[in-house]
Amino acid sequence: MQQPLANQVDHLFRNEYGRVVAIMTNRYGISYVEQIEDVVQDSFLKAMQVWGYQEVPQNPTAWLFRVANNAMIDKLRKGKKMDYVGDVPHVEKEDQTKEVATQSELSDSQLKLIFACCHPSLSKEYQIILSLKLIGGFSNKELAEALLKKEGAVAKSFTRAKKKFKAEVQMLKIPVEMGLQSRLFVVLRVIYLLFTEGYAATSGAQMLKKDICYEALRLALLLRENTYCQHANLEALIALMCFHAARFDARLDDDNELVTLAHQDRALYNQELVRIGVYHLENSNTGNSTPSNYHFEAAISYYHCTAKTYDETDWENILRFYDLHLQRYYSPIVALNRMVPFAKVNGPKKALVALEELERSDNFETNGLFYAIKAELMVDVGDQKAYRSTLQKAIALTKNTLVKRHLERKMI
């Protein structure tokens, strides 16, 4: 069955936005990044209008690129800003028969853009915001949720980041040797945030945005091709993404409803991706160096992927890796997720006590997941009344439509 037009455009936006922005920025230069953003976004709006009464073109990416590129040429001509765009002479619209660059050119442009966004002259906050906006096409709302910031603050930061980006970076180029390595950890953080938003969308009607996840994995594998990017943290991040991606088909049922880990059909787990994940996890052996948060998360996901059944899950080892993670890199969200294996190992009563202690140390007032976990513990200890009131809070605070619907079914 064919996808609705809005879904097709959303798919293309998630898959192609960063690529089109990257190749155009590579051709036209960083000083035109705002105009590039405008014309690329307008090309998707035009697609919604035109494809509503015409067939979607056989090569929609080429169509999007041509529309954006022609609009950019018009902008430059009207402004009479330049005779040449970067190192590339102006070309007439009728000559744009090879609108879409080769895969190698696309990949090279994306890597150039992501490393430019992570330039050391920019703060880490600016680096991440620029990367997720330009490479991932994140909205301000998505960025605010990913970075735990207010939407207005993100919008202001993005405006300031672009101004500094144009003033201080100026050129797109992949740094060499130590310059490249010095930016690697921020690049990995960007890729991780891209994948995380795709794997567990914080808002909207989709739980899983595979396009974002696969794009993040593709970028990580591209990094791995560069000798100076080959690092234990990159290997661990690739392993983590492979383990999560292996469970894609089991996370949603035939009606596109959420399936919890306890009820997933493990026969649907992609064993080839699990095998690849194990390969990269083994390659991530850090020797005497400190393991990253990617190592701990990959190890946890490994145990979920390889357990034959939910009941046979090695909860003790999962809890051990959560504890190690928190000792090295404390995070309230990681501490909250730890409550699930803690309850499996120590029982729901002790888990409720631990959850209440966590609530006193961290602010979860607006966190739907906190109340969803608390509700499950309530039902496990037999407090049905508290379960329903707590679940109602979880439903009210949950922004993802699919997750909200899943929680609402539990009220019946």
Side-chain angles (χ1 to χ4, degrees):
M1 184 168 65
Q2 188 165 354
Q3 288 181 309
L5 176 61
N7 288 351
Q8 288 181 284
V9 175
D10 184 63
H11 167 89
L12 281 165
F13 184 83
R14 287 305 187 186
N15 207 41
E16 303 299 337
Y17 179 84
R19 299 184 189 191
V20 178
V21 168
I23 195 71
M24 290 190 68
T25 307
N26 191 40
R27 291 183 175 185
Y28 289 91
I30 288 173
S31 60
Y32 291 91
V33 67
E34 289 171 320
Q35 292 94 325
I36 289 167
E37 273 192 292
D38 289 341
V39 296
V40 173
Q41 289 169 8
D42 286 346
S43 72
F44 282 93
L45 291 174
K46 189 170 183 179
M48 288 288 288
Q49 296 165 354
V50 174
W51 298 349
Y53 58 87
Q54 294 179 5
E55 282 191 12
V56 176
Q58 188 174 4
N59 188 343
T61 304
W63 190 97
L64 290 163
F65 188 92
R66 184 182 68 250
V67 169
N69 200 51
N70 285 342
M72 188 67 185
I73 291 172
D74 282 343
K75 275 181 177 285
L76 295 174
R77 281 177 175 163
K78 286 175 183 177
K80 296 181 180 179
K81 296 277 181 142
M82 52 165 62
D83 293 325
Y84 287 87
V85 181
D87 296 326
V88 183
H90 269 318
V91 284
E92 298 299 320
K93 293 181 185 178
E94 55 268 24
D95 292 334
Q96 297 294 314
T97 54
K98 296 181 181 179
E99 309 94 336
V100 180
T102 64
Q103 185 60 45
S104 61
E105 187 179 356
L106 279 169
S107 299
D108 182 62
S109 296
Q110 282 186 287
L111 285 180
K112 283 182 180 178
L113 181 56
I114 198 168
F115 275 102
C117 288
C118 295
H119 194 279
S121 67
L122 305 171
S123 70
K124 283 191 176 180
E125 179 186 0
Y126 285 0
Q127 291 172 356
I128 290 172
I129 287 175
L130 282 168
S131 299
L132 292 178
K133 289 284 283 186
L134 300 180
I135 296 290
F138 273 40
S139 67
N140 288 337
K141 183 177 180 181
E142 288 171 325
L143 260 179
E145 289 166 347
L147 301 177
L148 303 178
K149 292 179 176 290
K150 292 184 178 180
E151 193 172 337
V154 166
K156 289 178 181 177
S157 291
F158 182 48
T159 299
R160 291 192 292 265
K162 280 193 293 186
K163 185 176 180 180
K164 194 171 178 67
F165 185 50
K166 291 193 296 182
E168 299 196 15
V169 179
Q170 298 178 340
M171 292 182 62
L172 284 190
K173 61 180 181 179
I174 298 177
V176 295
E177 299 185 18
M178 293 306 294
L180 188 148
Q181 289 182 331
S182 68
R183 303 186 202 180
L184 179 61
F185 289 169
V186 180
V187 172
L188 295 186
R189 174 70 174 160
V190 168
I191 292 173
Y192 173 79
L193 289 171
L194 274 172
F195 188 90
T196 300
E197 174 59 25
Y199 187 73
T202 49
S203 61
Q206 292 176 282
M207 180 63 197
L208 179 62
K209 298 177 181 177
K210 292 183 182 179
D211 294 333
I212 299 182
C213 294
Y214 287 131
E215 182 65 9
L217 181 55
R218 189 184 72 84
L219 288 171
L221 291 171
L222 275 175
L223 286 178
R224 194 174 182 271
E225 294 175 7
N226 188 299
T227 302
Y228 298 103
C229 287
Q230 292 171 5
H231 191 280
N233 290 11
L234 174 59
E235 294 293 311
L237 178 56
I238 293 172
L240 167 62
M241 292 191 288
C242 286
F243 290 142
H244 281 333
R247 292 187 277 151
F248 279 172
D249 292 341
R251 294 187 70 210
L252 300 173
D253 64 16
D254 293 338
D255 297 320
N256 207 37
E257 296 292 347
L258 180 65
V259 181
T260 59
L261 185 61
H263 299 98
Q264 288 175 6
D265 181 357
R266 289 166 190 256
L268 296 176
Y269 287 7
N270 186 319
Q271 294 305 315
E272 178 64 13
L273 277 174
V274 173
R275 185 191 65 77
I276 295 170
V278 170
Y279 169 80
H280 287 286
L281 186 58
E282 289 174 346
N283 281 351
S284 74
N285 190 325
T286 57
N288 296 325
S289 61
T290 302
S292 66
N293 57 316
Y294 312 126
H295 286 84
F296 297 124
E297 291 188 37
I300 290 166
S301 190
Y302 163 80
Y303 283 109
H304 285 306
C305 279
T306 55
K308 291 182 180 179
T309 66
Y310 182 75
D311 291 336
E312 293 178 78
T313 303
D314 189 345
W315 295 109
E316 287 84 0
N317 262 323
I318 289 176
L319 181 58
R320 181 170 65 87
F321 277 107
Y322 267 110
D323 290 340
L324 289 170
H325 189 169
L326 289 169
Q327 287 171 17
R328 296 285 177 86
Y329 312 98
Y330 183 81
S331 160
I333 297 302
V334 173
L336 179 58
N337 284 319
R338 173 184 173 270
M339 290 297 105
V340 176
F342 184 89
K344 294 294 181 183
V345 174
N346 299 291
K349 288 184 179 179
K350 288 185 177 179
L352 266 175
V353 173
L355 188 64
E356 288 167 0
E357 290 176 357
L358 182 62
E359 187 177 13
R360 286 192 289 271
S361 62
D362 292 301
N363 183 11
F364 293 106
E365 283 185 14
T366 60
N367 190 300
L369 177 61
F370 172 83
Y371 291 102
I373 291 174
K374 190 173 184 178
E376 287 297 315
L377 295 176
M378 291 293 188
V379 79
D380 287 343
V381 299
D383 192 340
Q384 191 67 25
K385 184 178 179 181
Y387 163 73
R388 291 183 66 83
S389 62
T390 305
L391 187 59
Q392 284 172 342
K393 288 183 181 179
I395 293 168
L397 291 168
T398 297
K399 297 175 183 177
N400 184 284
T401 307
L402 200 62
V403 179
K404 185 186 286 285
R405 202 159 60 231
H406 169 75
L407 294 174
E408 287 171 342
R409 289 198 299 272
K410 291 186 173 189
M411 290 291 290
I412 301 172

